[in-house]
Amino acid sequence: MSTTQKLRKGLLPVKPMRDYFQDVYDVVRQIPAGRVTTYGAIARYLSLRAGARMVGWAMNGSHTQPDIPAHRVVNRLGILSGKHFFGSPTAMQERLEAEGIRVENDQIVDFTSVLWDPASELTV
DNA sequence: AGCTTGACATGAT
DNA sequence: AATCATGCCAAGC
């Protein structure tokens, strides 16, 4: 059970806020290559009251953690909203394409078929 | 010590 | 159907 989930159930007295950043990273790390997920999906899976925006904020710190495939997280429309935060404007797209995901005009082609929803794919 | 601003999402208009 | 408005919470200013 994640730290956030424990907190929600009252199993933890307080939640150091950085911790749900870790939860987010843990989920992101589990995204299979060639699949993507959304900020909202992660937020829902972790029962984050904070919502999707905080997931995005969490990802802001992901560059410190090397093993985070941040390029596999996009917004609910399949748009590469975070590409601006990669080294080059095309880095995110190139990484996705390297995994077999087609990207057209900053948007993932056939988005729904590559979508990986942790709530349904990751057994809870 | 407020006020604005987000790698978002959803409900209301 | 397509905007507009709001919730969420942390940081920057």
Side-chain angles (χ1 to χ4, degrees), chain A residues 18 28-30 38 45 49 66 74 84 91 95 102 112:
Chain A
R18 302 260 186 206
V28 173
R29 267 192 277 259
Q30 295 177 62
T38 70
Y45 173 68
R49 231 176 90 248
V74 297
H84 192 60
R95 283 195 183 175
R102 280 143 302 170
T112 54

Side-chain angles (χ1 to χ4, degrees), chain A residues 7-27:
Chain A
L7 177 77
R8 278 200 109 236
K9 297 193 172 187
L11 300 179
L12 290 178
V14 226
K15 176 170 190 29
M17 106 179 128
R18 302 260 186 206
D19 270 9
Y20 76 74
F21 281 45
Q22 272 306 331
D23 288 345
V24 171
Y25 301 151
D26 284 342
V27 174

Side-chain angles (χ1 to χ4, degrees), chain A residues 28-64:
Chain A
V28 173
R29 267 192 277 259
Q30 295 177 62
I31 304 173
R35 308 288 298 280
V36 296
T37 194
T38 70
Y39 304 96
I42 295 174
R44 282 198 313 272
Y45 173 68
L46 294 176
S47 305
L48 281 187
R49 231 176 90 248
R53 265 188 141 154
M54 287 302 102
V55 177
W57 184 254
M59 295 309 292
N60 194 359
S62 71
H63 67 80
T64 61

Side-chain angles (χ1 to χ4, degrees), chain A residues 30-38 41 71-80 96-97 99-104 107-118 120-121:
Chain A
Q30 295 177 62
I31 304 173
R35 308 288 298 280
V36 296
T37 194
T38 70
H71 58 285
R72 295 187 193 137
V73 185
V74 297
N75 74 3
R76 92 179 197 95
L77 301 173
I79 296 175
L80 280 54
L96 288 171
E97 287 174 338
E99 296 177 355
I101 297 175
R102 280 143 302 170
V103 178
E104 229 176 78
Q107 185 162 359
I108 295 185
V109 179
D110 214 358
F111 175 58
T112 54
S113 69
V114 290
L115 176 59
W116 181 83
D117 184 359
S120 51
E121 310 255 0

